[in-house]
Amino acid sequence: MLPTTSPHSNGDPSPRDAARHTAGAKRYKYLRRLLYFRQMDFEFAIWQMLYLFTSPQRVYRNFHYRKQTKDQWARDDPAFLVLLSIWLCVSTIGFGLVLDMGVVETVKLLLWVVFVDCIGVGLLISTVMWFISNKYLLKHPSRNFDVEWGYAFDVHLNAFYPLLVILHFLQLFFINHLVVINSEWFLGYFVGNTLWLIAIGYYLYITFLGYNALPFLTNTVVLLYPFALLGLLYILSISLGWNFTQGLCWFYKYRVK
């Protein structure tokens, strides 16, 4: 097969080919595919969600493959984001039922969680990590190697998914039923805070794996340092009787008043 683009004599891609790989072009292609569900690979997105719990390294190996075949690290298929949004909506409705919220209050909570907690906070975290990784973690700072903002956002989504499942889905079965973790007794806040420890630990570890997978970054081990603070905070919470789940429930109810 003949090449679709002809490189310049010095080996650089043609202007037309380079334009296809700009951040704006990639973003346009990604957003455009949100309108075409038939073009999304939901089966592969489900595979990624399963392996984010069991073997997240395999998920990031696929990012390597995408870089080799499509010359970009970030996802070009929004199927993962769509499924994550569905999970978020369903789990938030479940929170509304568990906390005895009305229809209007549940809708308000859903809007808060989707547009502020997920999108707003996600954009902020992704931007901060994108800046830090490009400013301080590059082995050889140059124009040829940098962390794509879209990849930073994908890393956040990957890390956010297990946290969402643990705190917004599994935890629902413990709030008022199996173990009443929304209470002042020891077993309640012990189980609840342990779920928070696991969820945030997943987030930190998968975030580390995401940036550690990039061959042009160095000293990514610093992304594991927050584990020390997380462990200390967990021990303090158990010793002092802090109940993170109770605080979350109170915060959700306060939001929708």
Side-chain angles (χ1 to χ4, degrees):
M1 296 180 64
L2 295 176
T4 56
T5 58
S6 59
H8 289 177
S9 59
N10 59 0
D12 294 332
S14 65
R16 182 180 178 183
D17 188 49
R20 294 177 180 176
H21 294 85
T22 62
K26 294 175 182 178
R27 181 168 57 250
Y28 172 76
K29 181 181 178 181
Y30 184 88
L31 295 176
R32 186 182 61 181
R33 292 188 67 176
L34 281 172
L35 303 177
Y36 300 97
F37 278 77
R38 293 183 179 180
Q39 296 183 7
M40 300 184 197
D41 192 350
F42 290 105
E43 183 178 353
F44 181 64
I46 293 174
W47 175 89
Q48 289 182 314
M49 288 181 167
L50 292 176
Y51 275 100
L52 282 173
F53 276 100
T54 59
S55 182
Q57 296 92 337
R58 295 189 62 176
V59 176
Y60 287 115
R61 280 200 292 269
N62 175 261
F63 280 76
H64 272 277
Y65 176 74
R66 183 182 298 108
K67 176 61 177 177
Q68 295 172 357
T69 57
K70 300 182 179 180
D71 195 27
Q72 69 177 67
W73 290 96
R75 289 187 177 97
D76 60 343
D77 185 353
F80 188 92
L81 178 61
V82 172
L83 291 181
L84 181 65
S85 301
I86 294 175
W87 260 104
L88 190 62
C89 292
V90 172
S91 62
T92 303
I93 292 174
F95 249 100
L97 295 174
V98 169
L99 299 180
D100 295 324
M101 294 182 179
V103 176
V104 176
E105 293 176 329
T106 302
V107 171
K108 288 182 179 179
L109 178 63
L110 179 61
L111 294 175
W112 268 102
V113 171
V114 171
F115 291 102
V116 178
D117 295 348
C118 182
I119 298 178
V121 175
L123 293 176
L124 177 61
I125 293 177
S126 302
T127 302
V128 171
M129 292 302 300
W130 168 78
F131 174 79
I132 292 175
S133 58
N134 283 316
K135 183 71 174 179
Y136 301 106
L137 300 182
L138 287 179
K139 289 181 180 179
H140 306 290
S142 68
R143 296 181 179 179
N144 297 326
F145 298 98
D146 66 334
V147 179
E148 303 169 9
W149 186 92
Y151 181 79
F153 187 65
D154 280 338
V155 171
H156 167 73
L157 294 182
N158 290 342
F160 181 75
Y161 172 70
L163 183 145
L164 171 67
V165 173
I166 294 172
L167 296 184
H168 252 237
F169 180 71
L170 294 180
Q171 191 171 220
L172 293 177
F173 299 97
F174 294 90
I175 290 180
N176 294 326
H177 299 288
L178 299 179
V179 178
V180 185
I181 58 179
N182 185 20
S183 63
E184 300 293 341
W185 67 318
F186 172 78
L187 184 59
Y189 61 76
F190 174 77
V191 173
N193 291 4
T194 301
L195 289 177
W196 278 82
L197 174 70
I198 296 173
I200 298 177
Y202 256 114
Y203 185 91
L204 295 176
Y205 179 62
I206 293 178
T207 298
F208 160 74
L209 289 179
Y211 292 96
N212 190 59
L214 299 179
F216 49 85
L217 294 185
T218 185
N219 296 326
T220 54
V221 69
V222 299
L223 300 178
L224 294 177
Y225 290 174
F227 267 103
L229 179 61
L230 177 63
L232 177 61
L233 186 61
Y234 174 73
I235 295 174
L236 285 176
S237 67
I238 298 300
S239 303
L240 301 177
W242 297 342
N243 192 324
F244 296 145
T245 302
Q246 189 177 55
L248 178 66
C249 293
W250 174 86
F251 181 62
Y252 277 176
K253 289 182 177 180
Y254 175 80
R255 271 182 167 181
V256 299
K257 285 184 179 179

